[in-house]
Amino acid sequence: MYKFVTLLPLESFQYKKVKFYSVQRESQDVTEFEDFLNRMEDIPAVEEDLINLIVWIKEIGQKYGAQKKFFRDEGTYADASALPPPGKTMRLKGIEVRGLRLYCLRANEHVVILFNGGLKTSQKAQDCPNVATYFNQANQLAKVIDQLFQQREITWNESFTDIIFDENLQIEL
Amino acid sequence: MKKDRSKVIERIQARIKPENRQFVRKNLEISQQISHLLEERGWSQKDLARVLGKQESEISKILSGLHNITLKTLTKIEVVLDGEVIITPLEACKKYASKEYVTFYVKPNERLDEVAEGSFLNEQPVRYKGEPDQSSKVA
C-alpha cells in the first residue's frame, strides 16, 4: 500500500476559470487522473464518454467554472455525521458520464482535483469491483486534502482562483 | 508497441471530433438555461424532480452537462417551468427580429441639489431649454 502522494497541476488543463490538479502516488509514472484515462482509453464501450469528458473539462474550464451542479455528491466522507457544518468542509464529488465515474474534489468554482475512477456496474460504489478501490482511495484523499486546507498547508491565492502549496508537499495517507 | 502512459491526454484529445464538442457545448448550454429558469421561478432541483415525478439524482444528471437528455424530457421541463430551454435559429429570428428598440436620451439634472433638500419633489417636471412640453404625452 502506498503511503505518500504528490499534488500536481494538470498542465493541459489550466484554464481561465478552472485550474485542474491531480495526485501522483510514489513510484507511479503518471497521476491518478492519467491512470484513469490509460485504463479506460481502450474500452470501446466508453470511448465516446471519455472523449466527451475531456471536452467537458475544457468547456467548464474556459467558460463556466466548476459550478456545483456539474458534479454529483459522492462518498462516505460526505455522509459522516460528525462533519463540521456544510460549507466548511470539502466533500468528495464525482463526474458521471453514463457508467463512467471519475472521483474528484471540487475545492471551489476555480479549483478541482481529479482522482481516479472507472466503469461503475453496481448501485453502490463500495459494491462495485471496478470502482470500489478508487472510490475508497478518493474518499481518503478528499479527507486528507481537506485537512491540509484547514492546516493551511494548502492555501488560496488572493482572488481564490488558485491554490498555493509547496511543490515538495507530500500528502501522507 | 507499448503505449506511453504519460501521453494519454494528448492521445484522447487527438480523438475529439466536432460532434463531441457540439454535444458538450449544447449540453452545458441546456444545463445553464434550466438552472436559469429554476432560479427565476425560485425552484430547487428537488422541486423540479418532484413536479416531473423523477428522482433528484436524475435532475443532477441532466444538469451535469454530460447527460444525453431526451427531447421528451426536455419538453416536459419546458412545460413545467413554463419557459423555453432550446430554441432553433429560425424560431429565434421570428421571435427576436420583431423587437422594437427605444432610445432614451438622458440629461443631467441640474437641480439635483434641490432634490436632496426636498424642495423639488412636489413641483412640476423640469423642462430643459428648447425641450417641447411632454407633460401631455404618455411615456
Side-chain angles (χ1 to χ4, degrees):
Chain A
M1 178 68 183
Y2 61 94
K3 200 177 172 194
F4 292 102
V5 295
T6 312
L7 184 58
L8 294 168
L10 289 164
E11 298 301 343
S12 311
F13 300 121
Q14 299 296 300
Y15 299 109
K16 190 177 148 201
K17 294 212 168 174
V18 188
K19 315 279 183 219
F20 290 92
Y21 289 82
S22 189
V23 291
Q24 188 166 334
R25 291 190 234 169
E26 49 182 348
S27 78
Q28 277 289 323
D29 55 342
V30 291
T31 64
E32 285 301 294
F33 174 60
E34 287 162 320
D35 182 66
F36 164 78
L37 297 178
N38 272 295
R39 289 186 301 102
M40 296 296 118
E41 75 167 325
D42 294 325
I43 304 174
V46 300
E47 188 190 355
E48 189 83 5
D49 299 331
L50 207 58
I51 294 171
N52 287 340
L53 172 69
I54 296 293
V55 176
W56 180 89
I57 287 173
K58 188 177 175 183
E59 280 291 311
I60 70 161
Q62 288 181 332
K63 194 171 173 187
Y64 296 100
Q67 299 174 29
K68 264 187 195 170
K69 67 177 179 194
F70 297 145
F71 301 83
R72 56 173 290 147
D73 289 325
E74 300 271 0
T76 49
Y77 181 47
D79 298 335
S81 54
L83 284 177
K88 299 277 181 193
T89 303
M90 292 166 198
R91 296 168 165 195
L92 182 68
K93 299 279 178 185
I95 301 166
E96 180 180 0
V97 202
R98 293 199 294 164
L100 267 191
R101 287 290 187 290
L102 173 64
Y103 299 106
C104 63
L105 189 68
R106 175 191 170 272
N108 73 358
E109 207 162 314
H110 306 288
V111 173
V112 177
I113 304 169
L114 301 173
F115 301 136
N116 213 321
L119 193 55
K120 189 169 167 251
T121 52
S122 307
Q123 184 75 22
K124 284 187 173 180
Q126 296 96 315
D127 302 332
C128 174
N130 293 337
V131 300
T133 308
Y134 303 110
F135 171 76
N136 292 330
Q137 177 208 55
N139 256 307
Q140 201 180 354
L141 282 164
K143 189 176 178 176
V144 175
I145 292 173
D146 181 46
Q147 284 165 359
L148 290 173
F149 271 101
Q150 288 174 27
Q151 293 159 5
R152 302 190 59 78
E153 289 285 340
I154 304 173
T155 54
W156 292 98
N157 67 357
E158 245 178 54
S159 52
F160 292 89
T161 52
D162 204 355
I163 49 176
I164 302 164
F165 55 93
D166 188 328
E167 62 177 26
N168 298 315
L169 175 69
Q170 293 280 296
I171 301 174
E172 190 175 355
L173 296 175
Chain B
M1 201 176 82
K2 206 181 168 192
K3 284 187 301 182
D4 182 349
R5 281 169 51 81
S6 67
K7 299 271 187 243
V8 67
I9 294 173
E10 287 93 319
R11 280 199 298 277
I12 297 175
Q13 278 176 332
R15 287 192 240 159
I16 297 171
K17 290 176 272 180
E19 54 263 40
N20 296 115
R21 288 204 179 88
Q22 193 77 340
F23 173 78
V24 174
R25 277 182 196 156
K26 287 210 181 289
N27 222 315
L28 286 163
E29 283 169 19
I30 287 169
S31 166
Q32 290 293 91
Q33 186 62 35
I34 295 173
S35 298
H36 174 73
L37 289 176
L38 285 175
E39 205 172 304
E40 258 189 0
R41 280 145 190 74
W43 284 22
S44 63
Q45 289 185 32
K46 210 178 225 173
D47 295 328
L48 181 60
R50 198 187 56 243
V51 174
L52 290 173
K54 288 181 181 288
Q55 294 288 321
E56 204 184 338
S57 60
E58 288 182 65
I59 305 301
S60 294
K61 269 187 207 172
I62 291 168
L63 295 179
S64 74
L66 279 163
H67 183 65
N68 194 6
I69 190 170
T70 65
L71 189 55
K72 206 169 180 181
T73 302
L74 200 53
T75 312
K76 277 185 191 167
I77 291 172
E78 288 188 326
V79 169
V80 299
L81 289 176
D82 189 24
E84 280 180 288
V85 175
I86 51 169
I87 182 163
T88 61
L90 279 177
E91 282 304 306
C93 279
K94 276 187 214 163
K95 192 170 178 180
Y96 300 110
S98 61
K99 280 223 162 169
E100 201 175 308
Y101 293 91
V102 182
T103 306
F104 291 95
Y105 295 98
V106 180
K107 289 179 180 175
N109 189 340
E110 288 156 4
R111 297 178 64 184
L112 207 58
D113 289 347
E114 293 179 46
V115 178
E117 286 165 16
S119 63
F120 174 66
L121 296 175
N122 298 321
E123 290 181 18
Q124 290 299 308
V126 180
R127 202 178 312 150
Y128 293 94
K129 213 174 173 180
E131 184 185 49
D133 185 358
Q134 301 281 322
S135 58
S136 60
K137 290 186 181 173
V138 179

